[in-house]
Amino acid sequence: MTTVTKWALAAAVLVVALIVALLPRGGNDSDAKPSANLAPARSAAALQPCPAAGPAQPVKQLDGVKADCLGDGASVDVGKALAGAPVLVNVWASWCEPCRTELPVLQEYAKQPGAVRVLGVQVQSPAEDGLNLLAKLGVHLPSVFDGDGPNGPVRTALKVPSSLPASYLVTAAGEVRFIANPRTFGNTDQVRAAVEGAS
């Protein structure tokens, strides 16, 4: 093989490698498809809008933490969205049996006069499964999706224990307080007492 032939072959290999490197990756399409496929599930779930960022100082423990709004897919800056007023944050997963009991209780509590805002955080389960569960339960609470892996940004920031559900009160001053008693709410009186106790 002559030197010219070797150089031509090397150049051809480089051109092919460059073309392959510049081709669009299939991952981009697959990233877009799940979001588009969630439209029917989102419509059926009819979730309340996720809270918007307000003028108050972000909650320090959640500052810069972002998650997708489960209801519409928009990005939510959680630290800013929870700032300025007390919020009960409930972390749940679609496979979690106690969560299925607790979510309707939180829905009922949120409708009561004097209730603080409630925000659900779906973790460790596919968004479509969460939307389908909320639709089945008739729960329309605003919720964010923290990803279906074990280390979502909200879960990491809150140091959520492995057993779910887990609830936190974010105070108006931006303090985050884990609610240990009870771990799972069975009725609205328990929710109200826990919120008052953590305030």
Side-chain angles (χ1 to χ4, degrees):
M1 189 179 285
T2 67
T3 304
V4 174
T5 307
K6 288 180 184 176
W7 280 108
L9 183 59
V13 169
L14 284 174
V15 168
V16 169
L18 183 60
I19 289 170
V20 169
L22 293 176
L23 285 173
R25 297 284 188 254
N28 292 341
D29 289 342
S30 65
D31 289 347
K33 284 178 186 170
S35 180
N37 292 342
L38 290 178
R42 285 181 169 142
S43 178
L47 300 185
Q48 296 169 3
C50 288
Q57 284 291 103
V59 175
K60 187 174 182 181
Q61 191 170 334
L62 293 160
D63 193 11
V65 174
K66 295 192 176 172
D68 292 336
C69 182
L70 191 57
D72 63 12
S75 180
V76 176
D77 186 317
V78 180
K80 290 180 179 175
L82 299 184
V87 184
L88 179 62
V89 176
N90 179 256
V91 183
W92 59 277
S94 61
W95 47 260
C96 163
E97 286 301 324
C99 301
R100 292 169 184 253
T101 303
E102 184 176 73
L103 285 164
V105 172
L106 293 173
Q107 171 76 46
E108 189 179 341
Y109 163 77
K111 293 178 180 177
Q112 294 182 348
V116 301
R117 293 184 298 158
V118 179
L119 178 72
V121 179
Q122 183 193 349
V123 300
Q124 287 191 308
S125 49
E128 186 172 13
D129 291 356
L131 288 163
N132 291 340
L133 174 63
L134 294 175
K136 179 181 176 183
L137 296 174
V139 173
H140 307 290
L141 295 169
S143 297
V144 295
F145 178 61
D146 196 40
D148 52 12
N151 299 313
V154 179
R155 184 172 186 159
T156 299
L158 291 176
K159 300 179 177 69
V160 176
S162 58
S163 61
L164 295 177
S167 293
Y168 299 80
L169 181 72
V170 178
T171 69
E175 297 174 14
V176 179
R177 298 177 179 161
F178 177 65
I179 297 175
N181 187 22
R183 277 299 306 277
T184 304
F185 298 120
N187 58 60
T188 57
D189 290 339
Q190 288 180 333
V191 181
R192 188 171 297 281
V195 167
E196 289 172 0
S199 296

